[in-house]
Amino acid sequence: MVVCETIADLRAARANLPAPVGFVPTMGYLHAGHMALVHRAKQENAATVVSIFVNPIQFDRAEDLARYPRDLPRDMRLLEEAGVDLVFIPSVEEMYPAGFRTVVHVREITEVLEGKHRPGHFDGVTTVVTKLLNIVQPDRAYFGQKDAQQAIVVKQLVADLNIPVEIREVATVREPDGLALSSRNVLLSPAGRAVAPTLYRALRAAQTAWQGGERDADRLRAIAREELAQEPRIEVEYVSLADLETLQELEGEVRRGLLSLAAWIDGVRLIDNVRLESIQDTT
Ligand code: AMP
């Protein structure tokens, strides 16, 4: 496994990789969710590149950045064991040298959901993803459905800017109790961890009602909220049922949609989502 800290070294090592190249951008503190992306990239490409970069410009709160968990030696072991070819671990100065002035902004679909509650977050994401795609120049890049809005925004970005890469989405990996794997889960207190599966339970309650024939958008959002309200430790930021393309809130009868939520538990912000769509819609 080749490890590169500079863009120049990465470009030189990248030139020796066989095609097609799959790329998995991460912020590290790797878990089985990240590794699912890595395994998919390995299966579908001749070479796999992973980046680990805690991107400061996508954090809307300084304390969130300061306490973001990191364990580079462990990450390296996991990537080596998985058979990754190339790892890119740039410094902040390498990615944003003095004089850096460009922001990549995707309109409208970044102004709702996560974008509404985390000002500037998606400008940080789209700027770093554009840079990483330009640096690595992969044939395919892999993103998790755990961050559903991010995957939708990245697809819009590569389409609009004609970036020659195929974006592939990978299903959310969960703990046995349903909690979506996240690097932030380690920050939960034992009591917070105990109630955290309620987030997925709330989404599943609404999804089950939808599968049972409930189609009213308000009612479906309310079912999720009622489940969350059972746990006083959970402070809900939003519960949304939105159009899968425009991400605008749905009203009235729902044929398909993205049901998502953000909530605080013990000062830790967690997100999760499920899709409401019939088998016919997904094929
Ligand atoms: P992060 O390190 O949080 O920026 O995540 C890097 C990539 O891993 C993103 O595309 C995430 O959507 C994806 N990811 C994070 N958690 C999960 C999970 N539980 N299941 C699947 N993908 C995930």
Side-chain angles (χ1 to χ4, degrees):
M1 187 169 81
V2 177
V3 181
C4 298
E5 296 183 14
T6 67
I7 295 164
D9 284 354
L10 188 284
R11 284 194 195 283
R14 161 70 180 91
N16 297 323
L17 293 179
V21 169
F23 174 47
V24 181
T26 82
M27 298 203 299
Y29 209 74
L30 302 178
H31 52 62
H34 298 112
M35 298 316 288
L37 273 61
V38 170
H39 295 311
R40 266 285 291 282
K42 284 270 306 169
Q43 272 165 23
E44 298 175 355
N45 300 280
T48 300
V49 180
V50 175
S51 64
I52 297 176
F53 178 60
V54 182
N55 178 35
I57 68 168
Q58 76 184 65
F59 284 79
D60 53 313
R61 292 174 306 115
E63 72 269 23
D64 188 25
L65 174 60
R67 69 173 184 163
Y68 197 83
R70 300 168 197 241
D71 189 345
L72 198 54
R74 183 172 161 277
D75 289 349
M76 288 300 174
R77 274 201 307 278
L78 288 170
L79 296 177
E80 176 98 60
E81 279 165 24
V84 167
D85 300 277
L86 187 48
V87 183
F88 183 42
I89 47 166
S91 65
V92 172
E93 295 70 32
E94 181 73 5
M95 291 294 276
Y96 303 113
F100 187 87
R101 288 197 176 82
T102 302
V103 173
V104 179
H105 178 69
V106 173
R107 283 182 289 163
E108 292 166 14
I109 56 174
T110 56
E111 282 150 26
V112 292
L113 305 174
E114 288 301 284
K116 185 168 167 189
H117 294 273
R118 302 185 64 189
H121 169 67
F122 281 115
D123 282 358
V125 169
T126 47
T127 301
V128 81
V129 168
T130 303
K131 284 177 66 76
L132 288 168
L133 292 175
N134 280 335
I135 294 165
V136 177
Q137 301 191 13
D139 299 285
R140 303 188 180 107
Y142 293 80
F143 289 83
Q145 277 178 358
K146 156 84 177 9
D147 300 278
Q149 186 178 15
Q150 172 172 278
I152 291 167
V153 168
V154 168
K155 282 184 182 169
Q156 181 84 44
L157 163 77
V158 304
D160 288 354
L161 296 186
N162 311 100
I163 303 179
V165 64
E166 186 192 333
I167 303 301
R168 296 206 168 167
E169 281 184 68
V170 178
T172 302
V173 178
R174 300 178 179 282
E175 298 283 4
D177 61 14
L179 177 64
L181 295 187
S182 165
S183 304
R184 289 188 173 86
N185 291 351
V186 70
L187 302 172
L188 291 166
S189 68
R193 175 63 187 82
V195 302
T198 308
L199 304 188
Y200 183 54
R201 210 159 46 235
L203 295 171
R204 285 285 297 152
Q207 189 180 44
T208 303
W210 185 85
Q211 284 160 349
E214 177 61 70
R215 288 290 180 274
D216 183 68
D218 280 337
R219 185 68 205 123
L220 289 162
R221 282 183 288 257
I223 291 168
R225 281 190 176 277
E226 282 158 19
E227 192 74 28
L228 294 166
Q230 309 281 315
E231 285 295 347
R233 271 180 179 274
I234 297 177
E235 194 189 319
V236 179
E237 196 165 80
Y238 66 79
V239 172
S240 158
L241 178 48
D243 183 276
L244 276 162
E245 277 87 43
T246 65
L247 295 179
Q248 294 304 303
E249 281 308 299
L250 294 170
E251 302 299 338
E253 193 181 317
V254 175
R255 275 199 55 242
R256 57 201 292 271
L258 177 69
L259 181 66
S260 65
L261 60 80
W264 292 84
I265 302 177
D266 293 347
V268 181
R269 187 176 184 279
L270 299 178
I271 59 171
D272 201 353
N273 70 85
V274 296
R275 285 170 193 228
L276 306 186
E277 55 190 346
S278 55
I279 309 292
Q280 299 95 283
D281 286 339
T282 59
T283 52

